[in-house]
Each structure stands twice: as structure tokens, then as C-alpha cells.
Amino acid sequence: METTDITIPNKKADINKQSFPVTGMTCGACASSVESILGHTDGVKNASVNFASSSVLVEYDATLVPEDLQKALQAVGYDLIVDAEDPAEAQENLQKQHYQDVKQRTIWSAILTLPVFIIGMFYMEWIPGRWISMLFSIPILFWFGRSFYSNAWKQAKHGKANMDTLVALSTGIAFVFSVFNTFFPDFWHDRSIHPHVYYEAATVIITFISLGKLLEERAKSNTSSAIKKLMGLQPKTLKVIQNGEEVEMPISSVQKGYTIVVRPGEKIPVDGEVSEGSSFVDESMITGEPVPVEKSKGAEVFAGTVNQKGSFQFIAKKVGGETLLSQIIKMVQQAQGSKAPVQKLVDKIARVFVPVVITIAIVTFITWIMIGGDDALTHALLTSVAVLVIACPCALGLATPTAIMVGIGKGAENNILIKDAESLELGHQTNAIVLDKTGTITKSKPTVTDWHWEKADTYYQQVLLAIESQSEHPLADAVVARLKKDGLKPENIQDFQSITGMGAEAQSLDDEKFYIGNQRLLEIKNIPVSSSQQNQSSKWSNEGKTVIFFANQSSVLAILAIADEIKESSASAIKTLQDRGIDVYMLTGDNEQTAKAVAKQVGIDHFKAEVMPYDKADFVKELQAQGKVVAMVGDGINDSHALAQADVSIAMGKGSDIAMDVAKMTLITSDLRAIPKALKLSKLTVQGIRQNLFWAFIYNIIGIPIAAGVLFAFNGFLLDPMIAGAAMAFSSVSVVANSLRLKAAKL
């Protein structure tokens, strides 16, 4: 029997996974359309749109080329950026251009709307005013507001409707009806009806909604800044040892196994292992801890971290997308993209509301044509237009943004900067809060918290000051600051030497030797530690403090405890949150002992120590999987992934720029007591939105049937479209007034 070798294709190798910038998306419904179109394209396995970053992650067969995907979207009015050298830069330029375009359109729309509004409200019977209003309205609707009509058409082609649909229909019909009444007023005069125009209603709606779009675009334009800053942490060039000489090369050319040189103050370009030299490296972007980590031969170093005072060489182990920094960037992008674009509440309502209103208007027209008698056409036109005018989305459109705007303003008054509406809406649902330790619960500045001197001798304190002033150890600065606080000046010393991993030694001018460092240093130098000193050291260590010893050749002169102090407000803020039934967790890259001590002091029962950035994000995911709405509070680069993953993200104002960019809220004062205030503000804002929507709906529920003419059978009353326009304006005013009540609320 003949055997045939069967090659099983590698499915993974045949599938490309790539992210593309998308242009032409203006709303959540657009994002859904792009996702749906690409998802149904032959050869595409999956498509996931991130509306915030205007990008789509596509898994597709290797037989397809990006141009095929591009053509599929171009056919329905969207586009993919596939041929640019730097797609991200091209997208950024397009976003900036689009934002400026929306800004210009909104400004000009507002300028032209003002005279139309004045004429419509105060000079409605002035005949020349109608012609002036029409001339001003044309560019407002069909140039500056053209996106509403184009988007409505896109939705209609796919059998969908959103707020743009209702805006386009209501403003378009109001305009056409007004133009007819401007050119042919006698049509109504012959029927003893006064012809009104509604240019101001159409233009005001366009301007209001355009302003909302502008604010939305502004928020979107800032979403990628965190990624850009993370990418900026990696240097563009590095120095490599080749043939015994230093050679500078671009980071894109570096390969595994290269020997790389890092000097004081430089960023480490790729992940690797120290091969020669030693230094202290600031790894706060990974661990969040403020104290630099000592690096000597065999120690791991990571891209994006900053070398402090020493120079060293290391062997490149991970380059390009393999580095920890690249992984952090990737994880932040995925976390941001994993959240499906949240449809605005109004858009969700519009899915039902728009078809219902259109149906009512059509039914109204047909009904009056059938039963209207001699004035059938007149009554049919007036009532159907009145239905569309009274159902104009101004009140609905203002319900959410006015409450949000007042809420954001109220937050700013209380030192809470809120970047988007989503977090403000979600905040009141939060039932779990994850806190970073360093810089969030603590001050992120090591200080000498305790010390015990065996002999209160100023001379010894001056010697200690002199030694620590020359030391490169990061904790030395805390000792120097404490001693200088007492007005001490350094004593003259000589023969200063740093002892790697243990401390330092020096000699006075009269040849007395002094040592400063950990207990291991004392053991090596055979300096005895008394039982009382040992007990004191153990006590401070159990409190999560770093203990250092100062000694001469024969005995311990002083014991010092150094720690990152807890903020005065932390304990009370955490208790307030717990009293509201919110679970509070603490995550830190610090050791277990320190984490336990800090958690105990502030009253936190649940904590995790020695966690990496991805561990924090995974922990947030675990809580979300349990059905919890999670708020993450952090201040460092290491928190950025978890902040992006959380439902509500809060950054400390004194933290890193990247954390503040990723987070949707920022506490200006870094006072944790602002968190309960932010969550209460969210609750009040959401209540305001619900009240606004209730009144907007009540108005429509009552107004639409009257506009349709249900009262005509009882008392012969037909609602004039002008009155319908006034009612629409009143509903808007009532919504705004209700939102403004939030300003007086106490947080």
C-alpha cells in the first residue's frame, strides 16, 4: 500500500492580524457598520472596531490584501489607511484636519444661526426677514451641517436610523416647508391660514448638535496621546559595542545578542541582562516604586526604564515588539479597543424613536388625506409637519450633554477633571475600587520616619550627613534631607567607598572608620547588634519600613527607618468608600511585608504585592468577570494598562502624564477624598439625565398626538406648526434648567 505524506496547513500562518486606521466614522453606529461590513467580507474572520482611536483590528486570510478590505469600506463611504508609510501618523493628521473642519463648521454655523434666531423669535412677521433667514439657512444646513444628511443616508442604506436620521428629517422637512411658505404664501392665504416659517428651528438644531459633535471629536483626538507618550519612552538610537568600538545605530537595527552601552541619565532601549558595570535604575514605569533598583552583572534591565548615576553594558535579550515596554503599549491598545463603543443613550432611543415618529407623520398625512374633506391636503401637510417639528430632537439631544457639561463643570470646582461622559455615567455603578499604593495611597517620596541614636552626638550626625551626601544610593537623599532639616553641616571625611548591595564606608580625618548600610554589612564587618537594636529593627521592618544601620568599627551608633509616608487623607477616604458598600483593593509592585503594613494602616483587607503591570490589568479583568463595575486609581506608567482596562479610570494629578492621558478622570490635588465626591457627582449627573429624558419623552408623548390632530374630532383644534416649534423650544429650555440645578448640589 502506497503512503502519501499529507501536509496539514498551519492555520495561524495563513491568518493575518492587523490594525488599520479608519476614516469617515462619526458615531457609534458608524463603528458598528464598519465592523459589520468587514465582518461579512469574504476571507475576514473577525473585525473589531475601536471608535475612540478610529481603528479596526482585522483577522483575515493571507489570500486577501489590505486593498480588498479598503475597497469593501470605500463602497459604503468609509476608508482604510493602508498605503501610508506611517499609518498612525497619517491617521493623526486626518483626525487633526477633521477636528479643525468640525470646529470651523460649528463656529460658522453659530455665527449664521444668530441672525436667523433673532429674526425668527422677534421679527417673525417681517416679510424680508424670511428671505434673509432662508439665505442664511442654506449654508448652515447643506454645507456646515452636511454630515448629518450624509450620515443619515448611510444609515438608511443599511436599514438603520440614529440621531442623525432624526436631525436630517426634522431640519430638512422644516426647511423645505419654510421655503415653500416663503415662495408661495398665497397657497395658505387662500385657505385662510397664516404661513409660518421654521428656519430658526432647523438652524438652532444643527448648531446645537454640531457643538456636541465638536466636543466628542475633541475627546477622541486625545485618546491616542497616551500611546504616543509610551512609545516616546523608547529612545530612537542606541550605542552598541562592535569590534571593540562604540557604534551608534537606530533602535530598529538592534538584534538579540548585541552588547549595548548605557550611560547616566539615559533610557534603556531594549530588554537585556547586565554584562559589565553597575548602577541604579529607575523602574517606576514597571513597578510604580519610587526607589531606583540596583543593577549589577546578571541583573535584568527593561526598555523605557531610566539609568541613574552609573554606567554599564548589557546583552540585548528582547528587541522590537518582544520588550516589556512594547508589551505594555500593546496591552494598553487592546484594553482600549476591547471596550465596544458605547452607544449614547440618545442614539439607543433614536433607534426606536425615529422610525416611530416617521411612521406617525406618514400615518397622520394619509389619515388626513382620507378624512380631511375639502381641506384634506392642507390639514395633511400642516399636521405631518407639526409632528416632525414637535418631535425635533432638541430636547432629547440636550438631555444628556447639558447634564454632562454641568457635571463636568461641577467636578472641576471640586478638583476633579473629567475627560468623557462615559466615566461620569458609569461612576455611580462602581462597586469595586482598585488602588495603586505608591503615589496613590502614599506620597511617593521616601522619608526618614524614625531613628534611634545610641548617643545624641552632633559630630556623628555630621559624619553621617557627609557619607550620605557622597552616596549614590537612592535612599541616601532621604537621610540627607532629614539631617539638613536640623541645620547640620557635613563633617570632613576621606576614603569614601560604595559597597555594592550593602551600603558605604568612609573614614574621618583622625582615621576612625564609619559604616552605613544594611545588617549584612554589619555582619561582614563583625559589628555587634544588641538585642534591643535587633528588636527595634524587626519592629520597623514589620511596619514595612526599610531599616539602615550607622556604625563605627566597634558598635552601632544609630538605626534609621525609611518609608514612603501614607497620605493623611487615605484612611478616611477608604473608610468612606467602604461605608458605601464599595469593595476596596490595593495592588503594588512593592514587597509583601510593606504592602501588608500599608494595607493595615489604611484599613484595606484585600491586597496583592509584587505585581507587574499586566498583573494589575488581569486583576481588574477578574473583578469584571465577577460582574463588578471596577474603578482603577493609579499614578504611574505601570498603572496605564489597568487604567485602560477598568470601567472607570482615575489618575492622581501628581502622577505621570501617561497615566493621566489613559485615565478618564484626574484628581488635581491627589487627595483620595475626591473619589467619593466623583462617584456621588456621577450619581447626581445620571439622575439629571434620567429626569431630562423623562420630561423630553412626556413632552413628545403629549405633543405628538396633539400635533397629529387627535383633538380635531372633539373641539376642531389643530396645532399650528409655529406653536409646535415654540413647544419644542420650551422643552429644550426646561431640560437645560433641570441640568443647571446640579450646580447647587453638595458633594
Side-chain angles (χ1 to χ4, degrees), residues 33-53:
S33 294
V34 169
E35 212 166 78
S36 176
I37 292 158
L38 288 176
H40 288 87
T41 302
D42 290 339
V44 175
K45 303 300 179 187
N46 187 45
S48 177
V49 172
N50 182 355
F51 180 55
S53 63

Side-chain angles (χ1 to χ4, degrees), residues 360-384 387 705-713 716-719:
I360 292 172
I362 293 170
V363 169
T364 299
F365 185 87
I366 294 170
T367 302
W368 278 104
I369 288 289
M370 293 172 63
I371 65 169
D374 295 338
D375 294 322
L377 180 61
T378 303
H379 289 162
L381 281 170
L382 285 174
T383 51
S384 56
V387 167
I706 293 173
V710 295
L711 297 179
F712 187 81
F717 176 78
L718 277 181
L719 186 67

